[in-house]
PDB file of all heavy atoms in Angstrom:
ATOM      1  N   SER A  52      10.679 -14.877  52.784  1.00 96.00           N
ATOM      2  CA  SER A  52      10.873 -13.437  52.647  1.00 96.00           C
ATOM      3  C   SER A  52      11.799 -13.124  51.478  1.00 96.00           C
ATOM      4  O   SER A  52      11.542 -12.192  50.700  1.00 96.00           O
ATOM      5  CB  SER A  52      11.458 -12.868  53.944  1.00 96.00           C
ATOM      6  OG  SER A  52      11.714 -11.487  53.819  1.00 96.00           O
ATOM      7  N   ALA A  53      12.860 -13.891  51.325  1.00 97.00           N
ATOM      8  CA  ALA A  53      13.795 -13.665  50.223  1.00 97.00           C
ATOM      9  C   ALA A  53      13.120 -13.903  48.873  1.00 97.00           C
ATOM     10  O   ALA A  53      13.429 -13.222  47.886  1.00 97.00           O
ATOM     11  CB  ALA A  53      15.005 -14.580  50.384  1.00 97.00           C
ATOM     12  N   TYR A  54      12.194 -14.837  48.825  1.00 96.00           N
ATOM     13  CA  TYR A  54      11.536 -15.172  47.560  1.00 96.00           C
ATOM     14  C   TYR A  54      10.496 -14.126  47.169  1.00 96.00           C
ATOM     15  O   TYR A  54      10.392 -13.737  46.003  1.00 96.00           O
ATOM     16  CB  TYR A  54      10.877 -16.550  47.671  1.00 96.00           C
ATOM     17  CG  TYR A  54      10.409 -17.109  46.346  1.00 96.00           C
ATOM     18  CD1 TYR A  54      11.271 -17.841  45.531  1.00 96.00           C
ATOM     19  CD2 TYR A  54       9.110 -16.890  45.897  1.00 96.00           C
ATOM     20  CE1 TYR A  54      10.848 -18.340  44.304  1.00 96.00           C
ATOM     21  CE2 TYR A  54       8.682 -17.390  44.682  1.00 96.00           C
ATOM     22  CZ  TYR A  54       9.556 -18.104  43.886  1.00 96.00           C
ATOM     23  OH  TYR A  54       9.127 -18.586  42.677  1.00 96.00           O
ATOM     24  N   PHE A  55       9.703 -13.658  48.132  1.00 95.00           N
ATOM     25  CA  PHE A  55       8.564 -12.802  47.805  1.00 95.00           C
ATOM     26  C   PHE A  55       8.809 -11.304  48.034  1.00 95.00           C
ATOM     27  O   PHE A  55       8.075 -10.479  47.498  1.00 95.00           O
ATOM     28  CB  PHE A  55       7.340 -13.228  48.616  1.00 95.00           C
ATOM     29  CG  PHE A  55       6.691 -14.475  48.122  1.00 95.00           C
ATOM     30  CD1 PHE A  55       6.908 -15.686  48.752  1.00 95.00           C
ATOM     31  CD2 PHE A  55       5.858 -14.452  47.015  1.00 95.00           C
ATOM     32  CE1 PHE A  55       6.301 -16.849  48.304  1.00 95.00           C
ATOM     33  CE2 PHE A  55       5.249 -15.614  46.551  1.00 95.00           C
ATOM     34  CZ  PHE A  55       5.469 -16.806  47.190  1.00 95.00           C
ATOM     35  N   GLY A  56       9.790 -10.954  48.823  1.00 92.00           N
ATOM     36  CA  GLY A  56      10.007  -9.545  49.102  1.00 92.00           C
ATOM     37  C   GLY A  56       8.795  -8.922  49.779  1.00 92.00           C
ATOM     38  O   GLY A  56       8.232  -9.489  50.725  1.00 92.00           O
ATOM     39  N   ASP A  57       8.351  -7.751  49.247  1.00 87.00           N
ATOM     40  CA  ASP A  57       7.259  -7.023  49.896  1.00 87.00           C
ATOM     41  C   ASP A  57       5.874  -7.490  49.469  1.00 87.00           C
ATOM     42  O   ASP A  57       4.870  -6.876  49.829  1.00 87.00           O
ATOM     43  CB  ASP A  57       7.396  -5.522  49.630  1.00 87.00           C
ATOM     44  CG  ASP A  57       7.173  -5.155  48.158  1.00 87.00           C
ATOM     45  OD1 ASP A  57       7.111  -6.077  47.308  1.00 87.00           O
ATOM     46  OD2 ASP A  57       7.066  -3.953  47.873  1.00 87.00           O
ATOM     47  N   ARG A  58       5.788  -8.559  48.736  1.00 89.00           N
ATOM     48  CA  ARG A  58       4.473  -9.008  48.252  1.00 89.00           C
ATOM     49  C   ARG A  58       3.707  -9.829  49.270  1.00 89.00           C
ATOM     50  O   ARG A  58       2.490  -9.984  49.157  1.00 89.00           O
ATOM     51  CB  ARG A  58       4.635  -9.831  46.977  1.00 89.00           C
ATOM     52  CG  ARG A  58       5.117  -9.006  45.781  1.00 89.00           C
ATOM     53  CD  ARG A  58       5.118  -9.858  44.533  1.00 89.00           C
ATOM     54  NE  ARG A  58       5.323  -9.053  43.333  1.00 89.00           N
ATOM     55  CZ  ARG A  58       5.117  -9.482  42.106  1.00 89.00           C
ATOM     56  NH1 ARG A  58       4.690 -10.704  41.899  1.00 89.00           N
ATOM     57  NH2 ARG A  58       5.329  -8.697  41.076  1.00 89.00           N
ATOM     58  N   LEU A  59       4.374 -10.389  50.224  1.00 92.00           N
ATOM     59  CA  LEU A  59       3.739 -11.350  51.118  1.00 92.00           C
ATOM     60  C   LEU A  59       4.123 -11.062  52.559  1.00 92.00           C
ATOM     61  O   LEU A  59       5.304 -10.883  52.871  1.00 92.00           O
ATOM     62  CB  LEU A  59       4.142 -12.769  50.712  1.00 92.00           C
ATOM     63  CG  LEU A  59       3.553 -13.941  51.494  1.00 92.00           C
ATOM     64  CD1 LEU A  59       3.339 -15.128  50.562  1.00 92.00           C
ATOM     65  CD2 LEU A  59       4.497 -14.361  52.627  1.00 92.00           C
ATOM     66  N   ALA A  60       3.124 -11.002  53.435  1.00 91.00           N
ATOM     67  CA  ALA A  60       3.372 -10.808  54.865  1.00 91.00           C
ATOM     68  C   ALA A  60       3.729 -12.145  55.502  1.00 91.00           C
ATOM     69  O   ALA A  60       3.063 -13.158  55.273  1.00 91.00           O
ATOM     70  CB  ALA A  60       2.133 -10.225  55.539  1.00 91.00           C
ATOM     71  N   LEU A  61       4.786 -12.168  56.281  1.00 94.00           N
ATOM     72  CA  LEU A  61       5.229 -13.403  56.912  1.00 94.00           C
ATOM     73  C   LEU A  61       4.285 -13.826  58.028  1.00 94.00           C
ATOM     74  O   LEU A  61       3.687 -12.999  58.721  1.00 94.00           O
ATOM     75  CB  LEU A  61       6.633 -13.224  57.487  1.00 94.00           C
ATOM     76  CG  LEU A  61       7.753 -12.999  56.470  1.00 94.00           C
ATOM     77  CD1 LEU A  61       9.075 -12.757  57.194  1.00 94.00           C
ATOM     78  CD2 LEU A  61       7.882 -14.190  55.526  1.00 94.00           C
ATOM     79  N   ARG A  62       4.147 -15.124  58.194  1.00 95.00           N
ATOM     80  CA  ARG A  62       3.384 -15.654  59.314  1.00 95.00           C
ATOM     81  C   ARG A  62       4.147 -15.438  60.609  1.00 95.00           C
ATOM     82  O   ARG A  62       5.383 -15.496  60.644  1.00 95.00           O
ATOM     83  CB  ARG A  62       3.110 -17.148  59.134  1.00 95.00           C
ATOM     84  CG  ARG A  62       2.086 -17.463  58.082  1.00 95.00           C
ATOM     85  CD  ARG A  62       1.809 -18.955  57.979  1.00 95.00           C
ATOM     86  NE  ARG A  62       1.230 -19.510  59.212  1.00 95.00           N
ATOM     87  CZ  ARG A  62       0.556 -20.641  59.257  1.00 95.00           C
ATOM     88  NH1 ARG A  62       0.380 -21.357  58.145  1.00 95.00           N
ATOM     89  NH2 ARG A  62       0.056 -21.097  60.381  1.00 95.00           N
ATOM     90  N   ILE A  63       3.411 -15.189  61.680  1.00 97.00           N
ATOM     91  CA  ILE A  63       4.031 -15.036  62.993  1.00 97.00           C
ATOM     92  C   ILE A  63       4.401 -16.417  63.518  1.00 97.00           C
ATOM     93  O   ILE A  63       3.556 -17.320  63.577  1.00 97.00           O
ATOM     94  CB  ILE A  63       3.061 -14.350  63.968  1.00 97.00           C
ATOM     95  CG1 ILE A  63       2.781 -12.918  63.507  1.00 97.00           C
ATOM     96  CG2 ILE A  63       3.628 -14.348  65.383  1.00 97.00           C
ATOM     97  CD1 ILE A  63       1.755 -12.195  64.346  1.00 97.00           C
ATOM     98  N   PRO A  64       5.670 -16.639  63.878  1.00 98.00           N
ATOM     99  CA  PRO A  64       6.055 -17.943  64.428  1.00 98.00           C
ATOM    100  C   PRO A  64       5.251 -18.262  65.688  1.00 98.00           C
ATOM    101  O   PRO A  64       4.966 -17.381  66.510  1.00 98.00           O
ATOM    102  CB  PRO A  64       7.539 -17.746  64.769  1.00 98.00           C
ATOM    103  CG  PRO A  64       7.996 -16.616  63.894  1.00 98.00           C
ATOM    104  CD  PRO A  64       6.807 -15.709  63.775  1.00 98.00           C
TER     105      PRO A  64
END
Side-chain angles (χ1 to χ4, degrees):
S52 177
Y54 191 87
F55 285 101
D57 67 349
R58 292 186 169 194
L59 182 146
L61 294 177
R62 287 182 63 160
I63 295 176

